[in-house]
Amino acid sequence: MNYDMISIREKIGEILCEFGENDSRIYVLDSDLAKSTTSAKFRDKYPDRFVETGIAETSAMSIASGIASEGQIPFYVNFAMFVSGTAWTQLRQAAYANLNVKMIATHPGMDDGPDGASHHANEDIALVRTLPNVKVLIPSNIKELKQAIKMAIECQGPVYIRAARDVVPNVELEQDAHMGKSIVVEDDGNDFALIYEGTATAIAYEGFEALKEKGYKGKLINLFSVKPMDKEFIKSLASTVKGIVTVENHSVLGGIGGAIAEILAQESQHAKLAYVGVPDVFTESGKSADVKAKYGLNVQNIIEKVESVMN
Amino acid sequence: MIDVKHLELLANENRKKIVQMIYKAKAGHPGGSLSVIDMLTAIYEMDVDFHSEKRSKVVLSKGHAVPAQYAVLCSKGIIKEEDLGTFRQVNSRLQGHPHALDIPEVDATTGLLGQGLSVAVGMAIVKKHNHENNHVYAILGDGEMQEGQIWESLLQAAHYKLDNLIVIVDYNKLSSSGPVNEVINLEPLAEKLKAFNFHTIEINGNNMQEVVDALNKAYTLTGMPIAIISNTIKGKGVSFMENNPKWHSGALLDEEYETAMNDLNRAKEEIQ
């Protein structure tokens, strides 16, 4: 595969402006990071529907609940650490009321490499996917980001969109993304399935290419919809391939690997499962590529895990 | 013209409902429900029209006082009287803390202290944007003022000059452990709210005339959000509960229930 790299984050503000133009219900909230998240573009175009909360993430999430209670569609755009972690009980209350609160969580996993472990959101999938009513979507490219935002607008209830800050392959898949569905990116055979979440797309592609070069024939799956997850698809995959490896820019605890394990553990027979992700440790500062490589997201680890589940 | 005596009688009836609900449920928070009921009764009677699509909203941020809200909604015909006995029981829509999915007329799902004022700020932002001519009320507990999120939302409410937002502090001076200002001192509270750029009004919140006057005054104020420090008595109206932190939460024995109802029946006669 030949491709250049692009940052999903850079398009967030632009896409919100596109949807905001024809839908006056759309509000955008920010907690003093509008430039980093690019929501500043919405602020400049629709200042009346842009709510700057200051550095007050818990209150921001509850304000979003209030805006949703009035029939509007608020998007709280902020770093994944703050949206999922700092404001977790506020999100939980929004979910309890099934309010139309939408979140775009930037800088997920180790995407904010140099800032260090304090800022690495390696637990956000675990935090949000355990909440009833919350839908969790992870786009792997710009087209899917736009589709995810559209899905968020069109469905009732809270939606958490995990949007990479780091670059991802600038590949536009033929298939459209759908709520509750995964995307088969490549299907060369049944040796293995490599299932990745959108913010780990780059390393998943690299790993898949390396496995190809070694002569293995497997499937490359873009999970996209973490919740609701396409359980039947995961089950059928587990009865088709020799082994499954999940790749995530997240802890191996409670993330997409954990979610898939929860499904497969209830099946009497299924393919072996292994996880590529951050082990149960805190990370450190560094270029995001370096930090990711050190903490599990590297081609060698993917090859080892795939080989371990095939045998 | 507001009939203050009518409101006093209604609040007294609501007090009975609070006591009955908690007696039947063998659990709940009588003290803070009884302290806030005069204010809550007045707000719903004066400013909440359930027949209007664009109406004033009430966020009971001190969600543990939900028996007060259920009592008022019952008086408004939204909750059936026989359903009050299901409070806090399995299969009831009368949850232990307000849940808007169960009762849509409950304007906000609360219960985790500190969050409701922010929710009210969000509502007020939209209403102001849409030029609605109504209000958003955030009913806070005094102990709740110790939550950090409250001060975030006070800053935000003032920043956005939300003069359609009326914050009520039900200042009954007691929280779960005892005197709230011994737990963590809030004083000088009025000065703090003034310094945060709120129109600040202090009243006896168990005096219906003062409650009505304060609300009417609040409706005339512009340019800044409004805070009413409503000085109240925890457990107001039930002799053995008044000013007793023990009645922050708890169940009533049969004889306690009888005493409470006798107190409230006597109060009714006194009002009449």
Side-chain angles (χ1 to χ4, degrees):
Chain A
M1 285 189 281
N2 290 314
Y3 46 79
D4 57 345
M5 304 295 278
I6 191 171
S7 170
I8 285 180
R9 172 203 51 162
E10 284 166 18
K11 296 289 176 186
I12 293 170
E14 200 176 305
I15 295 171
L16 287 170
C17 283
E18 279 176 39
F19 285 109
E21 189 175 354
N22 296 316
D23 192 340
S24 64
R25 298 171 302 166
I26 294 174
Y27 279 65
V28 172
L29 292 97
D30 168 56
S31 300
D32 198 34
L33 285 167
K35 217 173 137 193
S36 290
T37 66
T38 74
S39 69
K41 285 183 185 152
F42 192 94
R43 176 192 66 203
D44 296 343
K45 206 160 178 200
Y46 304 107
D48 290 351
R49 288 186 276 135
F50 180 85
V51 180
E52 175 57 68
T53 69
I55 307 164
E57 296 86 3
T58 56
S59 189
M61 185 69 80
S62 302
I63 290 176
S65 288
I67 291 172
S69 300
E70 289 296 307
Q72 312 303 306
I73 305 176
F75 277 83
Y76 183 31
V77 189
N78 202 345
F79 288 18
M81 176 58 66
F82 308 133
V83 176
S84 69
T86 309
W88 189 79
T89 60
Q90 289 73 13
L91 166 59
R92 187 176 178 275
Q93 285 292 88
Y96 179 39
N98 197 29
L99 289 171
N100 233 351
V101 169
K102 318 298 178 185
M103 295 148 277
I104 300 180
T106 66
H107 303 67
M110 293 158 286
D111 278 16
D112 192 8
D115 278 333
S118 58
H119 283 58
H120 293 171
N122 287 328
E123 310 85 10
D124 66 322
I125 297 174
L127 284 169
V128 297
R129 79 176 181 86
T130 48
L131 293 173
N133 294 337
V134 178
K135 297 175 181 72
V136 183
L137 306 176
I138 312 184
S140 72
N141 56 42
I142 306 294
K143 176 182 160 189
E144 287 171 16
L145 172 67
K146 198 168 173 179
Q147 290 177 332
I149 291 175
K150 188 164 187 280
M151 287 173 212
I153 293 167
E154 287 171 354
C155 76
Q156 169 64 41
V159 178
Y160 183 88
I161 299 173
R162 191 178 204 240
R165 182 236 185 269
D166 210 350
V167 288
V168 292
N170 187 17
V171 172
E172 202 163 283
L173 305 178
E174 267 178 48
Q175 306 97 311
D176 284 329
H178 294 282
M179 179 87 73
K181 294 286 173 197
S182 294
I183 296 167
V184 180
V185 181
E186 287 207 33
D187 188 352
D188 299 335
N190 293 325
D191 288 344
F192 67 91
L194 200 62
I195 305 179
Y196 64 91
E197 55 85 20
T199 81
T201 304
I203 195 67
Y205 275 29
E206 282 180 45
F208 191 76
E209 286 301 311
L211 288 159
K212 251 189 198 176
E213 280 168 25
K214 290 188 73 120
Y216 301 126
K217 295 186 188 312
K219 300 182 201 302
L220 183 62
I221 314 287
N222 168 15
L223 186 61
F224 181 72
S225 184
V226 175
K227 192 180 180 185
M229 196 182 283
D230 190 346
K231 292 180 185 171
E232 293 312 313
F233 171 71
I234 299 293
K235 284 184 205 169
S236 77
L237 205 57
S239 63
T240 312
V241 299
K242 288 186 199 162
I244 294 175
V245 172
T246 53
V247 184
E248 56 193 314
N249 179 24
H250 187 275
S251 168
V252 293
L253 303 181
I256 68 163
I260 287 169
E262 287 163 17
I263 296 167
L264 297 187
Q266 296 179 75
E267 300 300 297
S268 56
Q269 287 193 318
H270 58 79
K272 266 167 102 180
L273 178 63
Y275 314 125
V276 168
V278 182
D280 186 19
V281 294
F282 285 105
T283 52
E284 65 185 76
S285 286
K287 284 183 193 158
S288 62
D290 295 345
V291 179
K292 285 174 182 176
K294 179 170 177 179
Y295 289 89
L297 288 177
N298 59 70
V299 170
Q300 190 53 38
N301 191 21
I302 291 175
I303 292 171
E304 281 170 20
K305 291 284 158 56
V306 168
E307 288 180 334
S308 77
V309 294
M310 284 194 302
N311 299 316
Chain B
M1 190 64 190
I2 307 291
D3 183 346
V4 171
K5 196 168 168 178
H6 165 72
L7 289 181
E8 285 173 343
L9 284 168
L10 199 53
N12 194 65
E13 287 308 302
N14 288 336
R15 282 197 161 85
K16 284 192 208 169
K17 292 189 177 86
I18 291 167
V19 169
Q20 285 164 342
M21 258 181 274
I22 293 169
Y23 171 64
K24 188 89 194 288
K26 297 186 171 62
H29 296 79
S33 302
L34 292 167
S35 64
V36 79
I37 191 62
D38 298 300
M39 179 60 77
L40 211 55
T41 301
I43 289 169
Y44 276 95
E45 283 301 305
M46 291 169 69
D47 195 27
V48 181
D49 177 7
F50 285 109
H51 301 295
S52 167
E53 199 192 328
K54 303 242 179 242
R55 63 172 172 83
S56 293
K57 297 278 178 77
V58 180
V59 179
L60 185 65
S61 192
K62 50 172 284 183
H64 54 283
V66 74
Q69 195 170 30
Y70 292 155
V72 171
L73 292 179
C74 181
S75 76
K76 292 286 223 180
I78 284 154
I79 294 173
K80 288 185 201 145
E81 194 141 1
E82 60 263 34
D83 288 347
L84 293 180
T86 68
F87 173 53
R88 284 182 171 248
Q89 308 299 317
V90 166
N91 294 327
S92 171
R93 61 184 197 126
L94 274 58
Q95 291 297 297
H97 289 84
H99 188 214
L101 281 184
D102 280 307
I103 304 171
E105 290 83 0
V106 166
D107 294 328
T109 295
T110 62
L112 302 187
L113 293 178
Q115 299 184 11
L117 179 53
S118 307
V119 174
V121 165
M123 291 174 169
I125 285 172
V126 174
K127 285 175 175 295
K128 211 165 167 59
H129 181 256
N130 293 341
H131 307 290
E132 288 185 31
N133 184 26
N134 50 37
H135 304 98
V136 180
Y137 297 86
I139 320 279
L140 313 182
D142 48 8
E144 182 178 16
M145 299 298 286
Q146 294 161 351
E147 291 275 7
Q149 189 179 337
I150 292 292
W151 301 90
E152 295 180 5
S153 47
L154 288 171
L155 284 173
Q156 292 152 344
H159 181 85
Y160 287 104
K161 300 184 170 58
L162 299 175
D163 50 12
N164 55 347
L165 175 69
I166 301 174
V167 178
I168 312 284
V169 182
D170 184 44
Y171 201 1
N172 62 33
K173 317 291 188 300
L174 295 172
S175 61
S176 190
S177 311
V180 71
N181 287 327
E182 287 178 23
V183 176
I184 279 290
N185 188 21
L186 300 174
E187 290 296 335
L189 184 57
E191 282 76 3
K192 286 187 176 94
L193 292 168
K194 283 175 198 160
F196 270 66
N197 290 331
F198 274 67
H199 293 292
T200 304
I201 303 169
E202 291 181 86
I203 59 161
N204 173 353
N206 294 131
N207 178 311
M208 192 57 85
Q209 186 66 57
E210 288 193 34
V211 169
V212 168
D213 290 347
L215 290 173
N216 279 328
K217 172 93 188 293
Y219 302 152
T220 68
L221 298 170
T222 57
M224 302 194 296
I226 299 105
I228 300 177
I229 297 179
S230 182
N231 291 289
T232 57
I233 291 172
K234 194 149 182 166
K236 174 71 182 175
V238 174
S239 51
F240 59 90
M241 288 186 184
E242 289 191 0
N243 288 320
N244 186 347
K246 171 177 179 276
W247 290 100
H248 173 77
S249 68
L252 286 85
L253 300 170
D254 291 347
E255 53 269 32
E256 288 169 333
Y257 172 69
E258 273 175 38
T259 305
M261 295 307 280
N262 285 338
D263 286 347
L264 294 169
N265 284 327
R266 212 164 30 248
K268 184 180 175 183
E269 285 167 22
E270 281 165 20
I271 297 164
Q272 281 169 336

